[in-house]
Amino acid sequence: MSSEGFLKEMQTIGEKFLLKLQKLPKADPVEIVSFCVVLLFIATVLVLMIIACSCCCYSCCSCDGHPDHRRRKTQVRPIAH
């Protein structure tokens, strides 16, 4: 997908989202609850991705940006008899 197609698709999704938000005060309670559940799911996925990325970066790098070599895993080799 080209960048222009992607931007057009994102604009279409944004317009649908705004239209849904405008119709939300007039909607029935089931639709409001389902919309909130979808928003909660999206927010949860985003928060979990941020946490995963921050944990990955923290384990690879120390606070000053240099890699922490002390955390490197070592291989255990069998003892030769």
Side-chain angles (χ1 to χ4, degrees):
M1 179 182 284
S2 68
S3 63
E4 292 175 8
F6 179 73
L7 290 175
K8 185 70 174 170
E9 187 69 27
M10 292 303 293
Q11 182 180 3
T12 304
I13 291 172
E15 289 172 357
K16 288 180 183 178
F17 182 72
L18 286 175
L19 183 65
K20 189 73 167 175
L21 282 177
Q22 289 172 351
K23 292 181 180 179
L24 202 57
K26 301 173 193 169
D28 55 337
V30 174
E31 192 173 358
I32 293 173
V33 168
S34 62
F35 187 74
C36 290
V37 167
V38 169
L39 285 180
L40 182 65
F41 175 76
I42 292 171
T44 303
V45 168
L46 290 175
V47 167
L48 289 176
M49 285 178 55
I50 291 169
I51 290 172
C53 290
S54 65
C55 289
C56 180
C57 289
Y58 181 75
S59 66
C60 293
C61 303
S62 62
C63 294
D64 59 355
H66 299 294
D68 189 9
H69 297 290
R70 292 175 290 167
R71 292 182 179 233
R72 186 178 296 171
K73 294 180 180 177
T74 58
Q75 272 188 333
V76 178
R77 298 182 183 159
I79 299 173
H81 291 282

